[in-house]
Amino acid sequence: MEVLIIGGGFAGLAAGVALAESGCCVRLLEQKPYLGGRARSFVDLTTGSVVDNGQHIFMGCYHATIRFLSTIGTLDRVLFQKHLTVHFLDRDRRLTVLQCPSLPSPWHVLLGALRSDSFAFKEKLEILRLGGSLHWARAMEQGPERLSVRQWLTKLGQSERLQRNFWDLLCIAALNEDPSVASAALFERVLRMALFASPEDSRLGIPRVGLSEVYVDAATAYIRLKGGRVECGQAVAGLLVSEGWCRGVRLSSGEQIEAEGVLSAVPPFQLASLLPGELLRHEPYFAPVISLRPAPIISINLWFDRAITDLDFVGLRGTTVQWLFNRGKILGAGENYVSLVLSGAHRHIARSKEELLAAALLELGELFPQAQKAGLLHSLVIKERSATFSPTWEAAQLRPAARTPVRGLYLAGDWAATGLPATIESAVQSGYNAAKAIQDDRRNWHATPEFSPQ
Ligand SMILES: Cc1cc2nc3c(=O)[nH]c(=O)nc-3n(C[C@H](O)[C@H](O)[C@H](O)COP(=O)(O)OP(=O)(O)OC[C@H]3O[C@@H](n4cnc5c(N)ncnc54)[C@H](O)[C@@H]3O)c2cc1C
């Protein structure tokens, strides 16, 4: 019998590859006609450009993701920087850079900050202070478990200006939530892993191709090569659970599929409709399925008749949009195509696409003189209302482990308990965790007849 995987995003495909690699018979069911979930690309019909549903950034510290892409043979489709280098553009058009040299951690970041023209002298000392306390203070007097990022940064002596111009941009990019509500514990972990672990881990990686091309086809081919199945247009309508065991799924077509194990790799907002009501209401493990709240991301894609910047990407300070990615340059497609990112976009998600476009063009004109002269050829605003879950400190403590209390049912997805924000890395790591739990339990099923789910 097979192990069924519900959902063909990073989590489901990573789990599928890991299980197939271990000799397990895998059948992956994806409801949409395409795979990739919240990290996918498509061809824009007007321009013919490859557009991502939102610009995605990888990091050197994405160890599980790097392993996954290496296994399926596509790691070279993500271009990693030699050293962490980030440009910032202020509202007054001042361009500055943070460049971290190849020194042992934490010196790469600390020296990078000291040399950078992005910070005032006093702010550099504040960064040294925070870096020092992260690197050297093993046990802080009071952990940040119940603090917001804002409270924690203030406690660590970070000025309002440095927070606004630097930490807030990092927090919103990494956690997709406003620092006033985002979990400090999660942010601290991100800083430790991404900034203060090693220069290699701090590097950013940007896909050189559309997101789907980074992993979707190669992962599918890998699973199929090992004898597994990957099927699109197969919506699961419910889990077949009886007497504490999950024995398969029911498709929206009415067909029932029995399985040796079922791995749910769908977001919490979709898992709610698959679970029997009894479990959803009374089993504490499934509480996050109803308590986690979504956080949106808006992407504004613009095609101009001329180049507006030479930079690959830049953090924007003092504006509503937070990052600009020069997609035409990154993809090498010879187009003057840029993508603007607005994460943690709760206050903007209800605005009309026309309004968002007009506001973004106004800001772009203020920041880039070339944008004022450039003609807009085409635009595409993409709203991802449930881009991630909102990582408040309460939510961070609710995340479920891979093994559920229902025998034969496992859980993966960027929202599972990985200790990471809802990112590609969390999704892949959760897929690996679930695959490991299934492999361990399968050994028991096969060794002990009374454990057999049949
Ligand atoms: C705009 C945007 C920008 C982002 N930027 C970054 C970034 O820069 N860096 C980063 O690391 N992360 C980023 N993320 C987060 C990242 O995309 C997600 O964390 C990751 O893709 C989640 O993968 P997943 O497999 O857990 O879930 P998903 O990708 O949501 O996959 C779940 C899949 O399950 C399917 N499904 C749901 N219900 C059913 C059902 N009943 N039957 C069958 N199939 C079903 C869905 O269709 C979907 O394909 C971003 C996300 C967005 C939206």
Side-chain angles (χ1 to χ4, degrees):
M1 278 233 279
E2 296 159 317
V3 170
L4 290 181
I5 299 176
I6 314 169
F10 260 107
L13 285 168
V17 164
L19 285 167
E21 199 178 10
S22 73
C24 177
C25 196
V26 168
R27 184 172 178 189
L28 187 148
L29 306 168
E30 165 57 50
Q31 64 178 359
K32 299 259 173 66
Y34 50 82
L35 298 159
R38 280 169 287 153
R40 67 183 184 285
S41 50
F42 57 92
V43 175
D44 174 63
L45 292 180
T46 311
T47 56
S49 310
V50 177
V51 175
D52 291 348
N53 66 314
Q55 178 68 48
H56 281 61
I57 290 288
F58 294 62
M59 288 206 74
C61 62
Y62 279 22
H63 296 172
T65 309
I66 289 172
R67 182 180 140 201
F68 171 54
L69 298 184
S70 303
T71 306
I72 60 173
T74 57
L75 185 58
D76 61 347
R77 296 183 191 176
V78 179
L79 196 65
F80 282 92
Q81 300 174 321
K82 282 206 178 79
H83 323 283
L84 174 66
T85 305
V86 187
H87 287 91
F88 296 100
L89 187 61
D90 286 352
R91 198 120 201 187
D92 61 5
R93 294 186 183 163
R94 199 171 77 94
L95 182 68
T96 58
V97 65
L98 169 67
Q99 210 159 19
C100 298
S102 262
L103 289 173
S105 181
W107 301 110
H108 69 300
V109 171
L110 299 185
L111 200 71
L114 276 179
R115 281 190 193 158
S116 169
D117 55 357
S118 272
F119 312 108
F121 180 69
K122 183 175 157 290
E123 293 168 347
K124 295 180 181 182
L125 297 182
E126 292 170 16
I127 295 177
L128 289 186
R129 186 171 165 194
L130 185 137
S133 67
L134 276 188
H135 193 74
W136 286 288
R138 289 274 163 257
M140 296 204 295
E141 327 93 65
Q142 192 203 327
E145 282 71 28
R146 289 171 168 260
L147 298 181
S148 69
V149 171
R150 173 79 63 243
Q151 291 167 326
W152 181 65
L153 290 174
T154 306
K155 199 164 156 255
L156 288 178
Q158 307 297 292
S159 62
E160 191 267 328
R161 186 170 182 278
L162 181 63
Q163 291 192 36
R164 181 165 29 86
N165 280 339
F166 184 56
W167 297 123
D168 287 7
L169 268 177
L170 296 195
C171 170
I172 296 172
L175 269 58
N176 190 28
E177 192 47 280
D178 192 275
S180 60
V181 294
S183 155
L186 208 50
F187 189 55
E188 185 206 29
R189 191 165 156 75
V190 169
L191 293 185
R192 279 187 196 280
M193 290 175 55
L195 280 191
F196 295 102
S198 75
E200 293 73 35
D201 283 0
S202 299
R203 295 168 309 146
L204 299 175
I206 304 185
R208 297 188 294 120
V209 292
L211 259 180
S212 298
E213 251 189 277
V214 171
Y215 70 111
V216 164
D217 289 347
T220 305
Y222 188 98
I223 294 170
R224 289 188 177 144
L225 191 74
K226 301 274 177 187
R229 290 193 269 178
V230 177
E231 298 167 19
C232 288
Q234 294 277 47
V236 172
L239 300 171
L240 303 176
V241 179
S242 63
E243 295 162 7
W245 273 17
C246 182
R247 295 164 195 273
V249 302
R250 190 181 65 260
L251 300 182
S252 57
S253 62
E255 185 193 342
Q256 298 200 352
I257 308 176
E258 286 193 13
E260 191 179 11
V262 176
L263 166 55
S264 164
V266 308
F269 324 109
Q270 281 150 332
L271 179 59
S273 64
L274 306 186
L275 284 169
E278 186 68 11
L279 275 180
L280 195 57
R281 280 190 300 274
H282 301 301
E283 173 49 61
Y285 171 93
F286 293 111
V289 172
I290 30 187
S291 9
L292 292 183
R293 293 280 163 265
I297 298 180
I298 299 170
S299 304
I300 302 164
N301 297 284
L302 305 167
W303 287 259
F304 290 106
D305 62 1
R306 67 196 74 182
I308 64 159
T309 177
D310 286 339
L311 296 167
D312 282 0
F313 70 98
V314 57
L316 308 174
R317 309 209 281 206
T319 47
T320 306
V321 288
Q322 297 131 359
W323 295 89
L324 174 144
F325 289 85
N326 195 344
R327 296 274 302 165
K329 190 169 175 223
I330 294 166
L331 299 177
E335 299 166 298
N336 299 308
Y337 159 34
V338 299
S339 185
L340 306 174
V341 179
L342 206 179
S343 298
H346 298 283
R347 282 185 295 119
H348 304 281
I349 198 74
R351 295 168 75 186
S352 71
K353 291 188 174 178
E354 293 70 24
E355 202 187 330
L356 287 164
L357 175 64
L361 285 173
L362 205 65
E363 289 192 338
L364 220 52
E366 286 174 20
L367 292 169
F368 300 92
Q370 301 90 317
Q372 290 170 356
K373 300 180 214 129
L376 182 68
L377 303 177
H378 178 56
S379 67
L380 181 65
V381 178
I382 302 176
K383 293 182 181 181
E384 285 278 6
R385 290 175 191 277
S386 303
T388 65
F389 74 89
S390 168
T392 58
W393 68 258
E394 294 94 334
Q397 296 182 344
L398 283 173
R399 300 167 71 183
R403 201 177 267 111
T404 77
V406 179
R407 192 172 294 173
L409 178 63
Y410 301 84
L411 191 140
D414 60 354
W415 59 288
T418 56
L420 303 165
T423 50
I424 290 171
E425 177 67 1
S426 178
V428 173
Q429 185 59 59
S430 76
Y432 281 170
N433 293 348
K436 167 89 174 50
I438 293 171
Q439 284 157 19
D440 290 349
D441 290 356
R442 278 182 94 220
R443 279 192 274 277
N444 285 335
W445 298 338
H446 294 299
T448 332
E450 63 268 27
F451 274 169
S452 166
Q454 291 174 63

